[in-house]
Amino acid sequence: MVYAVALLGNLLLASAALAAPSSRLAARLERRRDGRQSQPINRLEPGVSKAGEVSNVQYSSNWAGAVFDNKSTGTFKSVTGTFVVPTPKAASGSSSGSASAWVGIDGDTCGNAILQTGVDFTVTNGKVSYDAWYEWYPDYAYDFSGITISAGDSITTTVTATSTKAGTAVITNNTTGKTVTKSLTSTYALCEENAEWIVEDYEEGSSLVTLANFGTVEFTGASAGLVAGGTLGPSTADTIDIEQNSKVLTSVTLGSSTVTVKYTGS
């Protein structure tokens, strides 16, 4: 009888362990349930930050990186960039935070649609997790399955518009050799006039998440494919920094094929 009770108890414990999702999966499901979503850029006054700086740098509450915003409709058909996955830390005064590195088409001067793909990096009470995702805004973001992301991995992100209402999102983990691809369609047409390499303070529900201290994210091999043929590097794109509560939280530098985004908050 004692043996039977013990056996039953062990079976119940095993069943509970199998049924309980991991903390990372639970957090991911909660984010998706709450509506994790990128947003078009929310620009502040051009050239003048609320922190008092006057420069050629543009400021936004949610995007940091490089954006082409002066091209005509039908210019861009693809964007690609490679970065090393950072280890995020909670910003001063917070126990959690998140940020997302991605590449995309549109979302600035054309705000009705964005084709994008990237990686979220999140820290919650010292525990770090990563999610690879794709999105055709205004729909929500969706996780890729079949790929794992770890700190220090080299990740290549690419989006390609095959038409204004169809395209692909591709993420390759160069460290593990795994590639995932998603074909997307939308009733919301791209303008194909913006190309960007971004670290974003994205939105859950109706508010921005707490921005994590992501250290430095450097996109290398950054280029945008042109509908007319050829490619364009980011060196002549607009530089965008995140500013929140009158404090600039990032510093961005551009090269011929690089976009470097550094967290400068406390």
Side-chain angles (χ1 to χ4, degrees):
M1 181 66 176
V2 173
Y3 173 78
V5 171
L7 179 60
L8 177 60
N10 288 336
L11 288 173
L12 289 173
L13 287 172
S15 297
L18 288 173
S22 68
S23 59
R24 178 178 175 181
L25 176 59
R28 180 192 304 127
L29 293 175
E30 182 178 358
R31 284 201 298 276
R32 295 307 184 239
R33 183 174 64 249
D34 290 342
R36 180 259 183 257
Q37 187 179 46
S38 292
Q39 290 289 329
I41 189 171
N42 181 22
R43 284 181 182 263
L44 305 178
E45 184 179 352
V48 181
S49 81
K50 292 182 180 178
E53 293 184 36
V54 179
S55 70
N56 293 324
V57 176
Q58 306 296 304
Y59 295 91
S60 160
S61 64
N62 59 334
W63 285 17
V67 184
F68 282 105
D69 68 348
N70 59 354
K71 303 300 181 182
S72 60
T73 298
T75 296
F76 297 106
K77 68 176 182 180
S78 65
V79 185
T80 190
T82 299
F83 60 90
V84 174
V85 176
T87 301
K89 300 177 182 178
S92 178
S94 301
S95 61
S96 62
S98 192
S100 191
W102 54 269
V103 299
I105 298 173
D106 290 338
D108 189 338
T109 53
C110 179
N112 61 294
I114 314 171
L115 173 58
Q116 55 192 148
T117 194
V119 174
D120 291 350
F121 19 93
T122 301
V123 57
T124 305
N125 296 321
K127 295 183 178 180
V128 176
S129 62
Y130 301 98
D131 297 301
W133 56 271
Y134 57 88
E135 181 177 352
W136 192 306
Y137 176 87
D139 196 5
Y140 293 115
Y142 297 91
D143 282 344
F144 278 109
S145 60
I147 190 170
T148 58
I149 308 290
S150 301
D153 285 353
S154 169
I155 303 295
T156 298
T157 51
T158 305
V159 291
T160 302
T162 53
S163 73
T164 58
K165 293 185 178 181
T168 59
V170 181
I171 290 183
T172 297
N173 188 327
N174 301 302
T175 302
T176 65
K178 181 66 176 180
T179 296
V180 286
T181 302
K182 180 66 177 181
S183 296
L184 298 166
T185 59
S186 178
T187 58
Y188 292 85
L190 297 169
C191 304
E192 299 177 330
E193 63 189 41
N194 305 132
E196 57 262 354
W197 301 262
I198 298 296
V199 175
E200 182 183 12
D201 186 1
Y202 62 86
E203 189 173 283
E204 283 180 358
S206 58
S207 60
L208 296 175
V209 299
T210 300
L211 184 65
N213 176 354
F214 54 83
T216 299
V217 172
E218 182 180 37
F219 293 93
T220 60
S223 68
L226 305 177
V227 173
T231 60
L232 188 62
S235 61
T236 58
D238 273 3
T239 300
I240 309 292
D241 274 318
I242 290 177
E243 181 183 336
Q244 297 175 354
N245 300 316
S246 300
K247 185 176 183 179
V248 178
L249 300 179
T250 60
S251 176
V252 176
T253 56
L254 308 182
S256 60
S257 62
T258 60
V259 176
T260 304
V261 185
K262 182 179 180 180
Y263 180 84
T264 59
S266 57

